[in-house]
Every structure is written in structure tokens, then in C-alpha cells.
Amino acid sequence: MYEFQSICRKKIAMVISNIGSGGDLRIYAGKIILTEKARYYFVNSTQHWEIEIERDIIKKLQPVQPDSKSIMLGADYFFSMEVTALKSSLFLQSLINA
């Protein structure tokens, strides 16, 4: 389990799998930020978007293995999400369908 302070300046990969779309998989690189209102966001500054994430995501972060670093877009850590668990997020649906 990681504390926010240990990952706040690290590059993070968000891996999204779409079970209903034949196993479609997308990887986005970004950072996790903590706002003044104690909310966590995954921020992709390259494509200029952000999404609020649960604090528990930090507990689920896994280190990226050296041989997977290029696949994970140079990230130091990653977390995975399934679209089926995020049905209410139209934004994530739009990322998968892009």
C-alpha cells in the first residue's frame, strides 16, 4: 500500500479494460492529484482531461516492471479499472469508444 506523498510526483498509468467489447484495453498516462477539498483526481495533461477517482485506488497501485515500462507509457505505477464497474461514467465510456 502506498501513501499519497510517495506517489504524488510519479507518473501513473490508468489501464481500462472493456469486458463487453471483446477485451478492449486502453492505457492512459498521468498523475494523481489531491485537491484542497480532499478529492483525488487522475489527470492526463497531454489530452487535457481529468477524472475523479476513489482514494482506494492509491492502495491498489502496483509498480510497473522494467520490461513493461514502454507498454505502460513510461509510468512508475499503474492501476486497472473495468468499464463494467463504471457504467455511470460516460466520460470513461467515451475514452473506450474513441
Side-chain angles (χ1 to χ4, degrees), residues 4 6 15-16 18 23-24 33-35 41-42 47 52-53 58 60 65 70 74-75 77-79 82 85 97-98:
F4 177 73
S6 66
V15 179
I16 303 175
N18 187 351
D24 190 20
I33 63 166
L34 175 62
T35 67
Y41 286 86
F42 178 82
Q47 297 176 355
E52 186 172 358
I53 58 173
I58 293 172
K60 296 177 183 177
Q65 299 302 314
S70 64
Y77 300 95
F78 76 96
F79 66 95
E82 292 180 359
N97 295 324

Side-chain angles (χ1 to χ4, degrees), residues 58-72:
I58 293 172
K59 295 176 188 173
K60 296 177 183 177
L61 286 174
Q62 298 178 38
V64 173
Q65 299 302 314
D67 59 342
S68 302
K69 200 111 168 141
S70 64
I71 294 169
M72 293 293 194

